[in-house]
Amino acid sequence: NMLQILSIAPIEENKIIDINYLEDTCVPSYKEEEKTFVIKENKEIISEEISVTHASKKLDDNVNEELIKKGEKLHYLLELVDFSTKNVDFIKGVNDKKLIQKVIHNDVFNISGLKQIIHEYAYEDDGVSGVIDCLVIGEDEIRIIDFKLKNIDDSNYDKQLRTYKRYISKIANNKLIKMYLLSIVNNELREVKDE
């Protein structure tokens, strides 16, 4: 059963979320934790840092800090939304509420035999770690959705989603897997195809 597999799949927490209340809605800020493990060998304890490759694209140093904060805030609000009730009353900012409302009514979330919607699914597989923004699990299909603030045309995003799909296909019990990029600002959807 896919739901059981996803619930027991190894999830490694690599971020601590601090919630700061700025303006009239929540903005998450992230602090990276160092990952270490301990090996006991000949009664000595050796501590080493784990080297993990991340599936997501590295941020460009020239990216506007305000845009990053806006993207993080909207991602976080999407995590908080109950997709069954689609209630967004908890969002105080009028513009943010409108954006989130449009996104959660996007047809990509209408899937045959909807079983579960999972947000921020973290995984590690063969030295590659990733956090999938959203998994929509239906009776015969799984949709991997990666939220972007605006731009969904970068080919690096396609590579990122294909990496996610490689992992999900290992635990998907032969379900059809589709990949999508979703622009939060434009409510624009693009399906990513296999290479």
Side-chain angles (χ1 to χ4, degrees):
N1 176 311
M2 178 63 187
L3 297 179
Q4 290 172 329
I5 290 170
L6 285 174
S7 67
I8 61 168
I11 295 178
E12 182 178 336
E13 284 296 321
N14 60 352
K15 291 186 175 175
I16 301 171
I17 298 180
D18 282 338
I19 300 172
N20 300 316
Y21 290 92
L22 300 176
E23 297 169 11
D24 48 10
T25 160
C26 350
V27 181
S29 61
Y30 298 101
K31 295 177 186 172
E32 291 292 333
E33 283 185 290
E34 283 187 22
K35 297 187 190 108
T36 59
F37 67 97
V38 175
I39 302 169
K40 192 169 182 180
E41 186 178 326
N42 297 333
K43 298 184 181 179
E44 287 182 40
I45 295 181
I46 304 163
S47 186
E48 294 183 21
E49 191 170 327
I50 299 173
S51 174
V52 179
T53 303
H54 296 277
S56 58
K57 177 184 168 184
K58 287 192 186 278
L59 286 176
D60 187 336
D61 290 336
N62 298 324
V63 174
N64 182 311
E65 188 70 28
E66 288 302 311
L67 287 178
I68 292 171
K69 285 183 181 178
K70 179 77 172 172
E72 287 177 344
K73 176 174 69 172
L74 292 171
H75 268 76
Y76 185 68
L77 292 173
L78 282 165
E79 281 180 62
L80 297 178
V81 171
D82 180 342
F83 276 70
S84 58
T85 65
K86 300 193 186 312
N87 184 345
V88 294
D89 290 344
F90 68 94
I91 303 172
K92 303 299 180 208
V94 176
N95 290 335
D96 291 341
K97 185 183 279 192
K98 284 180 185 175
L99 290 174
I100 298 300
Q101 207 158 29
K102 285 180 184 177
V103 168
I104 64 175
H105 284 89
N106 191 294
D107 283 342
V108 76
F109 299 105
N110 297 332
I111 191 170
S112 177
L114 177 65
K115 299 281 186 193
Q116 190 175 12
I117 294 178
I118 301 173
H119 297 280
E120 297 297 305
Y121 180 76
Y123 73 92
E124 188 174 322
D125 181 48
D126 294 331
V128 176
S129 70
V131 179
I132 300 170
D133 287 343
C134 187
L135 288 172
V136 180
I137 302 168
E139 193 70 46
D140 302 309
E141 180 184 337
I142 298 172
R143 294 179 180 173
I144 300 170
I145 301 167
D146 196 34
F147 300 118
K148 300 300 179 193
L149 183 61
K150 193 167 182 182
N151 174 29
I152 57 172
D153 295 325
D154 190 328
S155 63
N156 286 308
Y157 298 149
D158 295 27
K159 293 175 189 170
Q160 177 182 342
L161 279 166
R162 289 181 191 121
T163 301
Y164 295 161
K165 182 179 178 180
R166 275 192 292 278
Y167 172 73
I168 293 299
S169 65
K170 293 179 182 181
I171 59 171
N173 293 334
N174 297 317
K175 291 189 183 214
L176 175 66
I177 301 172
K178 291 188 175 182
M179 305 168 285
Y180 297 92
L181 289 161
L182 180 56
S183 164
I184 300 172
V185 170
N186 299 328
N187 191 27
E188 181 184 351
L189 187 71
R190 179 169 72 83
E191 184 174 359
V192 173
K193 300 291 188 182
D194 291 321
E195 287 183 298

